[in-house]
Amino acid sequence: MADGDVHTYFEDGLWKNRLEGGTRASNTSPRRVDAVLAGRQLAKKRRVCHVVHTPQGEVEAERDYRRR
């Protein structure tokens, strides 16, 4: 994973998206599906990887949008 990759993760009762290397979430949602969709759109726009984590913090899925 590299700086700029988008991570969707669960923290403090909310699903969040954060750019790797960043300190703050770029957006939050109470619903996982909404956060995953927003994270995917952000990763596609930035042409980076999108990494989805489980509520426990494990990597559940990773998709690379750098080549598209």
Coordinates of all heavy atoms in Angstrom, one line a residue:
M1 N 0.8 -1.2 0.0 CA 0.0 0.0 0.0 C 0.9 1.2 0.0 O 1.9 1.3 0.6 CB -0.9 0.0 1.2 CG -2.0 -1.1 1.1 SD -2.9 -1.4 2.6 CE -2.3 -3.0 3.1
A2 N 0.4 2.3 -0.7 CA 1.2 3.4 -0.9 C 0.5 4.7 -0.4 O -0.8 4.7 -0.2 CB 1.6 3.6 -2.3
D3 N 1.2 5.8 -0.2 CA 0.6 7.0 0.2 C -0.4 7.4 -0.9 O -0.2 7.2 -2.1 CB 1.6 8.1 0.2 CG 2.3 8.2 1.6 OD1 2.0 7.4 2.5 OD2 3.2 9.1 1.7
G4 N -1.6 7.8 -0.4 CA -2.7 8.2 -1.3 C -3.7 7.1 -1.5 O -4.8 7.4 -2.0
D5 N -3.4 5.9 -1.2 CA -4.4 4.8 -1.3 C -5.6 5.1 -0.4 O -5.4 5.7 0.7 CB -3.8 3.4 -1.0 CG -2.9 2.9 -2.0 OD1 -2.9 3.5 -3.2 OD2 -2.2 1.9 -1.8
V6 N -6.7 4.7 -0.7 CA -7.9 4.9 0.1 C -8.2 3.7 0.9 O -8.3 2.6 0.4 CB -9.2 5.2 -0.8 CG1 -10.4 5.4 0.0 CG2 -8.9 6.4 -1.7
H7 N -8.4 3.9 2.2 CA -8.8 2.9 3.2 C -10.2 3.1 3.7 O -10.5 4.2 4.2 CB -7.8 2.8 4.3 CG -6.4 2.4 3.9 ND1 -6.0 1.1 4.1 CD2 -5.4 3.1 3.3 CE1 -4.8 1.0 3.6 NE2 -4.4 2.1 3.2
T8 N -11.0 2.1 3.7 CA -12.4 2.2 4.3 C -12.3 1.3 5.5 O -11.9 0.1 5.4 CB -13.4 1.6 3.3 OG1 -13.4 2.4 2.1 CG2 -14.8 1.7 3.9
Y9 N -12.6 1.9 6.7 CA -12.4 1.2 7.9 C -13.5 1.6 8.9 O -14.2 2.7 8.7 CB -11.0 1.5 8.5 CG -10.7 2.9 8.8 CD1 -10.9 3.4 10.1 CD2 -10.4 3.8 7.8 CE1 -10.6 4.7 10.4 CE2 -10.2 5.2 8.1 CZ -10.3 5.6 9.4 OH -10.1 6.9 9.7
F10 N -13.6 0.9 10.0 CA -14.6 1.1 11.1 C -13.9 1.7 12.3 O -13.0 1.1 12.8 CB -15.4 -0.2 11.4 CG -16.6 0.0 12.3 CD1 -17.7 0.6 11.8 CD2 -16.5 -0.4 13.6 CE1 -18.8 0.8 12.6 CE2 -17.6 -0.2 14.4 CZ -18.8 0.4 13.9
E11 N -14.4 2.8 12.8 CA -13.8 3.4 14.0 C -14.9 4.3 14.7 O -15.6 5.0 14.1 CB -12.6 4.2 13.6 CG -11.9 4.9 14.7 CD -10.8 5.8 14.2 OE1 -11.0 6.8 13.6 OE2 -9.6 5.3 14.5
D12 N -14.9 4.1 16.0 CA -15.8 5.0 16.8 C -17.3 4.9 16.4 O -18.0 5.9 16.3 CB -15.4 6.4 16.9 CG -14.0 6.6 17.5 OD1 -13.6 5.8 18.3 OD2 -13.3 7.5 17.0
G13 N -17.8 3.7 15.9 CA -19.1 3.5 15.5 C -19.5 4.0 14.1 O -20.7 4.0 13.8
L14 N -18.5 4.4 13.4 CA -18.7 4.9 12.0 C -17.8 4.2 11.0 O -16.6 3.9 11.4 CB -18.5 6.4 11.9 CG -19.5 7.3 12.6 CD1 -19.0 8.8 12.6 CD2 -20.9 7.2 12.0
W15 N -18.2 4.1 9.8 CA -17.4 3.7 8.7 C -16.7 4.9 8.1 O -17.4 6.0 7.9 CB -18.2 2.9 7.6 CG -18.5 1.6 8.1 CD1 -19.7 1.2 8.7 CD2 -17.7 0.4 8.0 NE1 -19.6 -0.2 9.1 CE2 -18.4 -0.7 8.6 CE3 -16.4 0.2 7.5 CZ2 -17.9 -1.9 8.7 CZ3 -15.9 -1.1 7.6 CH2 -16.6 -2.1 8.2
K16 N -15.4 4.9 7.9 CA -14.7 6.1 7.4 C -13.8 5.7 6.2 O -13.4 4.6 6.0 CB -13.8 6.6 8.6 CG -14.6 6.9 9.8 CD -13.6 7.4 10.9 CE -14.4 7.7 12.2 NZ -13.6 8.3 13.2
N17 N -13.5 6.8 5.5 CA -12.5 6.7 4.4 C -11.4 7.6 4.7 O -11.6 8.8 5.1 CB -13.1 7.0 3.0 CG -14.0 5.9 2.5 OD1 -13.6 4.8 2.3 ND2 -15.3 6.2 2.4
R18 N -10.2 7.1 4.5 CA -9.0 8.0 4.8 C -7.9 7.7 3.7 O -7.8 6.5 3.3 CB -8.4 7.7 6.2 CG -7.2 8.5 6.5 CD -6.7 8.4 7.9 NE -6.9 7.0 8.5 CZ -5.9 6.1 8.5 NH1 -4.8 6.3 8.0 NH2 -6.2 4.9 9.0
L19 N -7.2 8.7 3.3 CA -6.1 8.5 2.4 C -4.9 8.0 3.2 O -4.6 8.6 4.2 CB -5.8 9.8 1.6 CG -6.9 10.3 0.8 CD1 -6.4 11.6 0.1 CD2 -7.3 9.3 -0.3
E20 N -4.2 7.0 2.7 CA -3.0 6.5 3.4 C -2.0 7.7 3.5 O -1.8 8.4 2.5 CB -2.4 5.3 2.7 CG -1.2 4.8 3.4 CD -1.0 3.3 3.2 OE1 -2.0 2.6 2.9 OE2 0.1 2.9 3.5
G21 N -1.4 7.9 4.6 CA -0.5 9.0 4.8 C -1.2 10.2 5.5 O -0.6 11.1 6.0
G22 N -2.6 10.2 5.4 CA -3.3 11.3 6.0 C -3.7 11.0 7.5 O -3.5 9.8 7.9
T23 N -4.1 12.0 8.2 CA -4.4 11.8 9.6 C -5.9 11.9 9.9 O -6.3 11.4 10.9 CB -3.7 12.9 10.4 OG1 -4.1 14.2 9.9 CG2 -2.2 12.8 10.3
R24 N -6.7 12.4 8.9 CA -8.1 12.6 9.2 C -8.9 11.8 8.1 O -8.5 11.7 6.9 CB -8.5 14.0 9.1 CG -7.9 14.8 10.3 CD -8.3 16.3 10.2 NE -9.7 16.4 9.9 CZ -10.4 17.4 10.3 NH1 -9.9 18.4 11.0 NH2 -11.7 17.5 9.9
A25 N -10.1 11.4 8.5 CA -11.0 10.8 7.5 C -11.5 11.8 6.5 O -11.8 12.9 6.9 CB -12.2 10.1 8.2
S26 N -11.6 11.4 5.3 CA -12.2 12.3 4.2 C -13.7 12.3 4.2 O -14.3 13.3 3.8 CB -11.6 11.9 2.8 OG -12.0 10.6 2.5
N27 N -14.3 11.2 4.7 CA -15.7 11.2 4.9 C -16.1 10.1 5.8 O -15.3 9.2 6.1 CB -16.5 11.1 3.5 CG -16.1 9.9 2.8 OD1 -16.2 8.7 3.3 ND2 -15.7 10.0 1.5
T28 N -17.3 10.1 6.4 CA -17.8 9.1 7.3 C -19.2 8.7 7.0 O -19.9 9.5 6.3 CB -17.7 9.6 8.8 OG1 -18.7 10.7 8.9 CG2 -16.4 10.0 9.2
S29 N -19.6 7.5 7.4 CA -21.0 7.1 7.2 C -21.4 6.0 8.3 O -20.5 5.2 8.7 CB -21.1 6.4 5.8 OG -22.4 5.9 5.7
P30 N -22.6 6.0 8.7 CA -23.0 5.0 9.7 C -23.2 3.6 9.0 O -23.2 2.6 9.6 CB -24.3 5.5 10.2 CG -24.8 6.5 9.2 CD -23.6 7.0 8.5
R31 N -23.3 3.7 7.6 CA -23.5 2.5 6.9 C -22.3 2.1 6.1 O -21.7 2.9 5.3 CB -24.7 2.6 5.9 CG -26.0 2.8 6.6 CD -27.2 3.1 5.6 NE -26.9 2.9 4.2 CZ -27.7 2.1 3.5 NH1 -28.8 1.6 3.9 NH2 -27.4 2.0 2.2
R32 N -21.9 0.8 6.2 CA -20.7 0.3 5.5 C -20.8 0.4 4.0 O -19.9 0.8 3.4 CB -20.5 -1.2 5.9 CG -19.3 -1.9 5.3 CD -19.3 -3.3 5.6 NE -18.1 -4.0 5.1 CZ -17.9 -4.4 3.8 NH1 -18.9 -4.3 3.0 NH2 -16.8 -5.0 3.4
V33 N -22.0 0.1 3.5 CA -22.1 0.1 2.0 C -21.9 1.5 1.5 O -21.3 1.6 0.4 CB -23.5 -0.5 1.6 CG1 -24.7 0.4 2.1 CG2 -23.6 -0.7 0.1
D34 N -22.4 2.5 2.1 CA -22.2 3.9 1.7 C -20.7 4.3 1.7 O -20.2 4.9 0.8 CB -23.0 4.8 2.5 CG -24.5 4.6 2.4 OD1 -24.9 4.1 1.3 OD2 -25.3 5.0 3.3
A35 N -20.0 3.9 2.8 CA -18.6 4.2 2.9 C -17.8 3.5 1.8 O -16.9 4.1 1.3 CB -18.1 3.9 4.3
V36 N -18.1 2.2 1.6 CA -17.4 1.5 0.6 C -17.6 2.1 -0.8 O -16.6 2.3 -1.6 CB -17.8 0.0 0.6 CG1 -17.2 -0.7 -0.6 CG2 -17.3 -0.7 1.9
L37 N -18.8 2.5 -1.1 CA -19.1 3.1 -2.4 C -18.3 4.5 -2.6 O -17.7 4.7 -3.6 CB -20.6 3.4 -2.6 CG -21.4 2.1 -2.9 CD1 -22.9 2.5 -2.9 CD2 -21.0 1.5 -4.2
A38 N -18.3 5.2 -1.5 CA -17.6 6.5 -1.5 C -16.1 6.3 -1.7 O -15.4 7.0 -2.4 CB -17.9 7.3 -0.3
G39 N -15.6 5.3 -0.9 CA -14.2 5.0 -1.0 C -13.8 4.5 -2.4 O -12.7 4.9 -3.0
R40 N -14.6 3.7 -3.0 CA -14.3 3.2 -4.4 C -14.3 4.4 -5.4 O -13.4 4.5 -6.2 CB -15.4 2.2 -4.8 CG -15.2 1.6 -6.2 CD -16.3 0.7 -6.6 NE -16.5 -0.4 -5.6 CZ -17.7 -0.8 -5.3 NH1 -18.8 -0.4 -5.8 NH2 -17.8 -1.8 -4.4
Q41 N -15.3 5.3 -5.3 CA -15.3 6.4 -6.2 C -14.1 7.3 -6.0 O -13.5 7.8 -7.0 CB -16.6 7.3 -5.9 CG -17.8 6.6 -6.4 CD -19.1 7.4 -6.0 OE1 -19.1 8.1 -5.1 NE2 -20.2 7.1 -6.8
L42 N -13.7 7.5 -4.8 CA -12.5 8.3 -4.5 C -11.2 7.7 -5.1 O -10.4 8.3 -5.7 CB -12.3 8.6 -3.0 CG -11.2 9.5 -2.6 CD1 -11.3 10.9 -3.2 CD2 -11.2 9.6 -1.0
A43 N -11.1 6.4 -4.9 CA -9.9 5.6 -5.4 C -9.9 5.7 -6.9 O -8.8 5.9 -7.5 CB -9.9 4.2 -4.9
K44 N -11.1 5.5 -7.6 CA -11.1 5.6 -9.0 C -10.7 7.0 -9.5 O -9.9 7.1 -10.5 CB -12.5 5.2 -9.5 CG -12.8 3.8 -9.5 CD -14.2 3.5 -10.1 CE -14.6 2.1 -10.1 NZ -15.9 1.8 -10.7
K45 N -11.2 8.0 -8.9 CA -10.9 9.4 -9.3 C -9.4 9.7 -9.1 O -8.8 10.3 -10.0 CB -11.8 10.3 -8.4 CG -11.6 11.8 -8.8 CD -12.5 12.7 -7.9 CE -12.2 14.1 -8.2 NZ -13.0 15.0 -7.4
R46 N -8.8 9.2 -8.1 CA -7.4 9.5 -7.8 C -6.5 8.5 -8.4 O -5.3 8.6 -8.4 CB -7.2 9.5 -6.3 CG -7.9 10.6 -5.5 CD -7.7 10.5 -4.0 NE -6.3 10.6 -3.7 CZ -5.7 11.7 -3.4 NH1 -6.3 12.9 -3.6 NH2 -4.4 11.7 -3.1
R47 N -7.1 7.4 -9.0 CA -6.3 6.3 -9.6 C -5.3 5.7 -8.6 O -4.1 5.7 -8.9 CB -5.6 6.8 -10.9 CG -6.6 7.1 -12.0 CD -5.9 7.5 -13.2 NE -6.9 7.7 -14.2 CZ -6.8 7.5 -15.5 NH1 -5.6 7.1 -16.0 NH2 -7.7 7.8 -16.4
V48 N -5.8 5.2 -7.5 CA -5.0 4.6 -6.5 C -5.7 3.3 -6.1 O -6.8 2.9 -6.6 CB -4.9 5.5 -5.3 CG1 -4.1 6.7 -5.6 CG2 -6.2 5.9 -4.7
C49 N -5.2 2.6 -5.1 CA -5.8 1.4 -4.6 C -6.9 1.7 -3.6 O -6.8 2.7 -2.9 CB -4.8 0.5 -3.9 SG -3.7 -0.3 -5.0
H50 N -7.9 0.8 -3.5 CA -9.0 1.0 -2.5 C -8.9 -0.3 -1.6 O -9.0 -1.4 -2.1 CB -10.4 1.1 -3.1 CG -11.5 1.2 -2.1 ND1 -12.7 0.7 -2.4 CD2 -11.5 1.8 -0.9 CE1 -13.5 1.0 -1.3 NE2 -12.8 1.6 -0.4
V51 N -8.7 -0.1 -0.3 CA -8.5 -1.2 0.6 C -9.7 -1.1 1.6 O -9.9 -0.1 2.3 CB -7.2 -1.1 1.4 CG1 -7.0 -2.3 2.3 CG2 -6.0 -1.0 0.4
V52 N -10.5 -2.2 1.7 CA -11.6 -2.3 2.6 C -11.2 -3.2 3.8 O -10.7 -4.3 3.6 CB -12.9 -2.9 1.9 CG1 -14.0 -2.9 2.9 CG2 -13.2 -2.0 0.7
H53 N -11.4 -2.7 5.0 CA -11.1 -3.4 6.2 C -12.3 -3.9 6.9 O -13.4 -3.4 6.7 CB -10.3 -2.5 7.2 CG -9.0 -2.0 6.6 ND1 -7.9 -2.6 6.9 CD2 -8.7 -0.9 5.9 CE1 -6.9 -1.9 6.3 NE2 -7.4 -0.9 5.7
T54 N -12.2 -5.0 7.6 CA -13.3 -5.5 8.4 C -13.4 -4.6 9.7 O -12.5 -3.8 10.0 CB -13.0 -7.0 8.9 OG1 -11.9 -6.9 9.8 CG2 -12.7 -7.9 7.8
P55 N -14.5 -4.8 10.4 CA -14.6 -4.0 11.7 C -13.5 -4.2 12.6 O -13.1 -3.4 13.4 CB -15.9 -4.4 12.3 CG -16.7 -4.9 11.1 CD -15.7 -5.5 10.2
Q56 N -12.8 -5.4 12.5 CA -11.7 -5.7 13.4 C -10.4 -5.2 12.9 O -9.3 -5.3 13.6 CB -11.6 -7.3 13.6 CG -12.8 -7.9 14.3 CD -14.0 -8.0 13.4 OE1 -13.9 -8.1 12.2 NE2 -15.2 -7.9 14.1
G57 N -10.4 -4.6 11.7 CA -9.2 -4.0 11.2 C -8.4 -4.9 10.1 O -7.4 -4.4 9.6
E58 N -8.8 -6.1 9.9 CA -8.2 -6.9 8.9 C -8.5 -6.5 7.5 O -9.6 -5.9 7.3 CB -8.6 -8.4 9.1 CG -8.3 -9.0 10.5 CD -6.9 -9.2 10.7 OE1 -6.1 -9.5 9.8 OE2 -6.4 -8.9 11.9
V59 N -7.6 -6.7 6.6 CA -7.9 -6.4 5.2 C -8.9 -7.4 4.6 O -8.6 -8.6 4.6 CB -6.6 -6.3 4.3 CG1 -6.9 -6.1 2.9 CG2 -5.7 -5.2 4.8
E60 N -10.0 -6.9 4.1 CA -11.0 -7.8 3.6 C -10.9 -7.8 2.1 O -11.2 -8.9 1.5 CB -12.4 -7.3 4.0 CG -13.6 -8.1 3.5 CD -14.9 -7.5 4.0 OE1 -15.1 -7.6 5.2 OE2 -15.6 -7.0 3.2
A61 N -10.7 -6.7 1.4 CA -10.6 -6.6 0.0 C -9.7 -5.5 -0.4 O -9.6 -4.5 0.3 CB -12.0 -6.4 -0.6
E62 N -9.1 -5.7 -1.6 CA -8.2 -4.6 -2.1 C -8.4 -4.6 -3.6 O -8.4 -5.6 -4.3 CB -6.7 -5.0 -1.8 CG -5.8 -3.9 -2.1 CD -4.4 -4.2 -1.7 OE1 -4.2 -5.0 -0.8 OE2 -3.5 -3.5 -2.2
R63 N -8.6 -3.4 -4.2 CA -8.8 -3.2 -5.6 C -7.9 -2.1 -6.1 O -7.8 -1.0 -5.5 CB -10.2 -2.9 -5.8 CG -10.6 -2.8 -7.3 CD -10.9 -4.1 -7.8 NE -11.2 -4.1 -9.3 CZ -12.4 -4.2 -9.8 NH1 -13.4 -4.3 -9.1 NH2 -12.5 -4.1 -11.1
D64 N -7.2 -2.4 -7.2 CA -6.2 -1.4 -7.7 C -6.8 -0.7 -8.9 O -7.2 -1.3 -9.9 CB -5.0 -2.2 -8.2 CG -3.8 -1.3 -8.6 OD1 -4.0 -0.1 -8.8 OD2 -2.7 -1.9 -8.8
Y65 N -6.9 0.6 -8.8 CA -7.5 1.4 -9.9 C -6.4 2.3 -10.6 O -6.7 3.2 -11.3 CB -8.6 2.3 -9.4 CG -9.8 1.6 -8.8 CD1 -10.0 1.4 -7.5 CD2 -10.7 1.0 -9.7 CE1 -11.1 0.7 -7.0 CE2 -11.8 0.3 -9.3 CZ -12.0 0.1 -7.9 OH -13.1 -0.6 -7.4
R66 N -5.1 2.0 -10.4 CA -4.1 2.7 -11.0 C -3.9 2.6 -12.5 O -3.5 3.4 -13.2 CB -2.7 2.4 -10.3 CG -2.6 2.9 -8.9 CD -1.3 2.5 -8.3 NE -1.4 1.0 -8.0 CZ -0.6 0.4 -7.2 NH1 0.3 1.0 -6.6 NH2 -0.8 -0.9 -6.9
R67 N -4.3 1.4 -13.0 CA -4.1 1.1 -14.4 C -5.3 1.5 -15.3 O -5.3 1.3 -16.5 CB -3.8 -0.4 -14.6 CG -2.5 -0.7 -13.9 CD -2.2 -2.2 -14.1 NE -1.1 -2.6 -13.4 CZ -1.2 -3.1 -12.1 NH1 -2.3 -3.2 -11.5 NH2 -0.1 -3.4 -11.5
R68 N -6.4 2.0 -14.7 CA -7.6 2.2 -15.4 C -7.7 3.7 -15.9 O -7.3 4.6 -15.3 CB -8.8 1.8 -14.6 CG -8.8 0.4 -14.4 CD -9.9 -0.1 -13.5 NE -9.8 -1.5 -13.3 CZ -10.7 -2.3 -13.3 NH1 -12.0 -1.9 -13.4 NH2 -10.5 -3.6 -13.0

